[in-house]
Amino acid sequence: MAEMNKGDIQRAVQLAMSESVFRKTGKIFVPVASSNRHIHLTTADIEKLFGKGYSLTIQKNLSQPGQYACKEVVTIEGPKGKLEKVRVLGPARSSTQVEISLTDSFKLGVKGVVRMSGDVKGTPGIRIIGPAGTVEAPEGTIVAARHLHLSAEQAALFGLKNGDEVRLSMPGPRAIILDHVAVRCGKGHDMEVHVDTDEANAAGMKSGTMMEILR
């Protein structure tokens, strides 16, 4: 069994506390993670950017089962500017997808289209530059819609299902309520809210902050 690091232990404690509080009070608290700009690549685009037969190198596992941050980074370029050292996330996907913030979209000069991950039809294209080549992606640049990951067991416990929308509240000096938070649950998901850096910075959130689901 792999040794748990400090982040893994903190997360395990948070999830256990969330379920315990719910069983005692009926209130649902979920941890939040701020998602910086990143990119998902197809196998074909990995080879174009890094070389034929290239395999991504795992840097660290992420909170969602089976997903990981890679050592590899790329540059993305739009009509007005570019962003360097954009982290590649694995494993490879069926379509290439670039996830940025609205602030990033202004620098790149592309329209900031808010979409759920995987819904890329009709979204802006972008140039992706790697050490071995360049990819001209015709679409796939999105500002990820805020969403809540839950395992099937967690969703059943809380009485939620895939496709539901919830409202989340965070108290404090920059208290905020987030509407239209989509629930994504099932295999390959585990309890965590994902927001982008713009949303997190506006509220002074830190990764691991607990937010309450408002019924």
Side-chain angles (χ1 to χ4, degrees):
M1 182 177 177
E3 184 178 349
M4 295 180 72
N5 60 35
K6 184 177 179 180
D8 292 333
I9 294 171
Q10 179 186 20
R11 178 170 170 76
V13 170
Q14 287 177 324
L15 299 189
M17 287 179 62
S18 178
E19 294 188 16
S20 176
V21 168
F22 174 73
R23 293 182 188 280
K24 291 178 180 178
T25 69
K27 293 183 177 181
I28 306 173
F29 291 89
V30 289
V32 181
S34 171
S35 181
N36 201 359
R37 67 181 76 103
H38 59 271
I39 186 169
H40 303 274
L41 297 168
T42 63
T43 299
D45 284 348
I46 290 169
E47 293 192 342
K48 290 176 184 176
L49 295 166
F50 297 100
K52 189 159 183 66
Y54 191 89
S55 295
L56 296 173
T57 309
I58 299 176
Q59 183 179 66
K60 67 174 183 178
N61 291 319
L62 301 177
S63 61
Q64 299 309 300
Q67 298 189 34
Y68 49 87
C70 304
K71 292 183 178 179
E72 289 77 15
V73 295
V74 297
T75 295
I76 56 175
E77 186 175 28
K80 291 185 177 179
K82 62 184 179 181
L83 296 169
E84 300 178 334
K85 296 183 179 180
V86 177
R87 184 70 55 190
V88 178
L89 300 190
R93 289 198 176 184
S94 58
S95 61
T96 288
Q97 177 177 289
V98 181
E99 296 185 34
I100 60 174
S101 67
L102 285 173
T103 299
D104 291 336
S105 75
F106 301 144
K107 183 171 183 179
L108 292 167
V110 299
K111 185 177 181 181
V113 179
V114 179
R115 293 281 185 90
M116 290 301 298
S117 180
D119 180 13
V120 299
K121 186 174 182 180
T123 57
I126 201 104
R127 176 179 291 119
I128 307 165
I129 305 166
T134 300
V135 170
E136 299 286 348
E139 60 183 13
T141 305
I142 68 169
V143 176
R146 57 181 75 122
H147 53 279
L148 166 62
H149 291 282
L150 293 171
S151 69
E153 294 76 17
Q154 291 159 349
L157 174 65
F158 298 147
L160 296 170
K161 63 182 185 301
N162 195 59
D164 283 349
E165 284 193 352
V166 296
R167 302 174 76 222
L168 298 175
S169 171
M170 187 194 79
R174 306 195 76 178
I176 190 171
I177 292 177
L178 298 179
D179 283 320
H180 306 301
V181 181
V183 176
R184 306 194 73 180
C185 64
K187 185 179 179 181
H189 298 273
D190 198 16
M191 190 195 303
E192 192 169 64
V193 179
H194 286 180
V195 298
D196 68 22
T197 51
D198 284 352
E199 293 173 310
N201 290 339
M205 288 182 198
K206 295 181 180 179
S207 287
T209 296
M210 301 297 284
M211 297 190 76
E212 182 181 359
I213 294 180
L214 301 178
R215 292 292 191 178

